[in-house]
Amino acid sequence: VQQSGGRITVRSSPGAGSTFTIELPHVNEPATVAPASLEPAAWAAGEGPAKPAAARKRVLLVEDDAAVRMLLSRLLTRLGHEVVHAGSGDEAIELIGLAGSISADLLVTDVRMPGMQGPDLAFKLRAIRPDLPVLFVSGYASEISPELLALPGTWVLNKPFEADTFAAAVNRALTASPG
C-alpha cells in the first residue's frame, strides 16, 4: 500500500473484530494487467526461450521468498545455467565464503530481504570481485542507490515480470562487455 503511495489504517475492538481501511491514490490512466505468473505455459511445458548463446554460467540467486527463488532457479536451469541459491544475503555470504574468490558469473538478487539487503550484498561481493555482474529483481528498485546503479554491469528488472523478460535480462547481464 505504501509503495503505491497510499496508506492503511486499522481499528480494532476486543471481541468486536477489526476494520482495515486502505486508501490508494486516484489514477486517471486505465489499469494495465500484470502477468498472472512468472511461468507461462510454454515454460511449464519445457519450451520457452532458447538457451543463451553464452556457455553455461554459474548464477548466484538470492531471494528471500522461497516460491519465487525456486521458480527463478528453475528458469535459470532451463536456460542452461548452474544455480547456487540462497534465501538471504547472509546465507549467500556463507555459501560463497568471503575468504576465497567468488566463482559466480552473475549475482541475481532481490533488493529487500531480511538481514542483509540486496544492494549491501552486491557492494560486499563487488569489493572482492569488481567485475561481477549484478541483476536486481525487485518491486523496490527505487531503493537502490544511484552510486550502485551507475556501476558498470548493474541491471534492474522490476517485479512482476514474465519469464521471457527475465531470460533476456539474464542473457544481457551475462553477455554484456564490462565497462
Side-chain angles (χ1 to χ4, degrees):
V1 171
Q2 289 175 341
Q3 184 179 356
S4 297
R7 68 181 195 153
I8 186 168
T9 57
V10 63
R11 283 184 323 158
S12 184
S13 300
S18 300
T19 302
F20 292 84
T21 304
I22 298 174
E23 297 176 1
L24 296 171
H26 177 70
V27 178
N28 291 324
E29 299 101 42
T32 58
V33 178
S37 170
L38 292 175
E39 188 170 16
W43 281 81
E47 302 165 8
K51 292 182 182 178
R56 178 181 173 98
K57 301 289 183 175
R58 175 179 277 182
V59 178
L60 175 57
L61 170 64
V62 187
E63 166 65 58
D64 61 316
D65 183 313
V68 173
R69 185 173 61 248
M70 290 300 106
L71 177 58
L72 294 180
S73 180
R74 281 198 317 263
L75 294 176
L76 288 164
T77 300
R78 169 76 177 96
L79 289 169
H81 301 300
E82 176 186 351
V83 182
V84 177
H85 54 84
S88 69
D90 296 318
E91 184 182 342
I93 294 294
E94 285 179 34
L95 280 174
I96 61 168
L98 282 178
S101 65
I102 299 168
S103 63
D105 299 300
L106 171 65
L107 168 63
V108 176
T109 183
D110 195 356
V111 171
R112 270 195 181 181
M113 297 181 289
M116 184 185 303
Q117 304 292 305
D120 297 330
L121 173 64
F123 271 122
K124 280 190 182 231
L125 298 183
R126 284 229 171 127
I128 297 162
R129 187 154 149 230
D131 66 331
L132 179 67
V134 177
L135 173 60
F136 291 105
V137 290
S138 181
Y140 298 94
S142 64
E143 295 181 7
I144 304 170
S145 73
E147 295 83 16
L148 184 57
L149 289 175
L151 293 175
T154 303
W155 291 269
V156 177
L157 182 59
N158 290 309
K159 291 178 183 176
F161 50 82
E162 295 185 12
D164 293 343
T165 305
F166 177 70
V170 167
N171 194 36
R172 183 176 57 247
L174 285 168
T175 58
S177 56

